[in-house]
Amino acid sequence: MAHLLMVESWVGSMSRLLPRAIREGGHTFTFLTRDLHHYLRSAPEGAAHPLLGARHVITADTNDLDTLLPLIERLHEVLRFDGVLTSCDYYLPTAARIAGRLGLPGPAPDAVANACRKDATRRVLAAAGVPGPRFAVHEEWAALARAARGIGYPLVVKPVDLCAGMFVRRVDDEAQLAAAVGALTAFPVNARGQRRDPAVLLEELLDGPEVSVETVSHRGAVQVVGVTDKSIGGSPAFVETGHMFPAALVAADTEAAEQTALAAVTALGLIDGVVAHTEVKLTSAGPRVVEVNPRPAGNRITELVRHVTGIDLTACFVEVSLGREPDVRGGRTGLRSAAIGFLVPETSGTLTSLDGGGLRDAPGVLEVRLSEPGAQVTVAGSNNEYLGHIMTGDTEGLGARDRAEALLDELRSAMVIR
């Protein structure tokens, strides 16, 4: 039995999937957090949060690395950790630093830090010749406006240090650019109490469909598990409205996406102890890297992969965090494709009606989760405002996505927001 240190977590599905993978692997974990109530608020009514299944729950300031590292060293002398991990983007660099400080398995801290900063990722990939959009990074308005004119409108505005699509916007002119930059400036601290970097990333707007490539790295070898397709909506925001695994691509596009992702992961140095989720645009000029995430895919993509291939990417994450070879053999599951569709609100108000009871028994449905009436609704500006999802599978081919979309249409027609 190994003992892992988990430094914070996402509050969504990964806060359930990762503890489960640790437990099913025969291991245990200590949970380290600055605010336990951040997680308890999301626990199902009447149920204990899976994170409370930890051997120990320790409160410490996870945002203050200078005081955290000596504390972790003292804890390690008593508790003896075998690996360090987190599912939360904001603490991936911290987990890597802790592992390095304790001499435990894990990716190079600098590699993780660069992957978690969108501007650093762009610079590393550009230096390595990995294809991406034209970009510029500035803090001052005059420099941003000048760079935007150089790249050309329309373009994409991004924070360098947020995730889940927060504040990522398409802008078509200088007035929209000013509004997007102003919104970022008015958000100086992220949801975990960390002060944000004021730098703003501008990128060329890329055409073509977006996919993600799921990979696992161990001791210098990076293995592709598969390619997932994405549906994007919510313009001018970029909200993920659904996914399907495997992506419905011709073989040449699948190969191009995989090779581009491998080049990106390798250039960043994410070649040991990482389950990565690399987003790629298949543009008319060839594949271009959108971003590289040095952790298992969110938005239930890991579950789609497991339903189709039998490969548990969360379990792989646990094993590589312990320096062990992950099991990526998979096996027959009976499904040829699996998809998830998210119910994305297009208006704000109060959810007064959303009845999905009958959908749970519909053919091919794997899972239905919906918000309860009375929930406050905000027009989606990121991946944080979903009202629920439907997950479907297809035993015959690549029909799971169409099935999920058809069921979502039924939900939308019955949903009432006032």
Side-chain angles (χ1 to χ4, degrees), residues 84-148:
V84 185
L85 44 60
T86 181
S87 61
C88 181
D89 295 53
Y90 298 132
Y91 295 97
L92 289 165
T94 299
R97 285 285 300 277
I98 292 171
R101 182 73 163 256
L102 300 182
L104 296 175
D110 287 347
V112 175
N114 285 335
C116 290
R117 285 273 308 208
K118 293 179 175 64
D119 53 340
T121 297
R122 284 280 165 250
R123 293 187 182 103
V124 171
L125 297 188
V130 180
R134 290 178 293 128
F135 71 95
V137 185
H138 296 287
E139 293 183 23
E140 301 298 327
W141 168 250
L144 284 167
R146 185 167 56 251

Side-chain angles (χ1 to χ4, degrees), residues 156-171:
V156 181
V157 176
K158 294 182 177 181
V160 298
D161 54 3
L162 291 175
C163 50
M166 291 185 67
F167 293 96
V168 178
R169 295 291 183 271
R170 168 182 169 145
V171 297

Side-chain angles (χ1 to χ4, degrees), residues 260-338:
T260 301
L262 288 171
V265 168
T266 302
L268 284 163
L270 301 171
I271 58 173
D272 188 25
V274 179
V275 176
H277 168 72
T278 302
E279 296 172 348
V280 177
K281 275 273 195 178
L282 299 173
T283 79
S284 56
R288 298 289 185 270
V289 175
V290 176
E291 63 183 42
V292 181
N293 300 280
R295 43 83 178 155
N299 266 356
R300 308 307 296 276
I301 290 174
T302 56
E303 291 297 275
L304 302 183
V305 173
R306 183 180 61 83
H307 277 303
V308 175
T309 69
I311 298 171
D312 188 337
L313 288 172
T314 312
C316 290
F317 183 38
V318 171
E319 293 306 299
V320 298
S321 297
L322 292 168
R324 302 177 180 181
E325 185 172 2
D327 183 359
V328 290
R329 292 170 298 176
R332 294 185 178 182
T333 66
L335 291 182
R336 298 283 300 280
S337 65

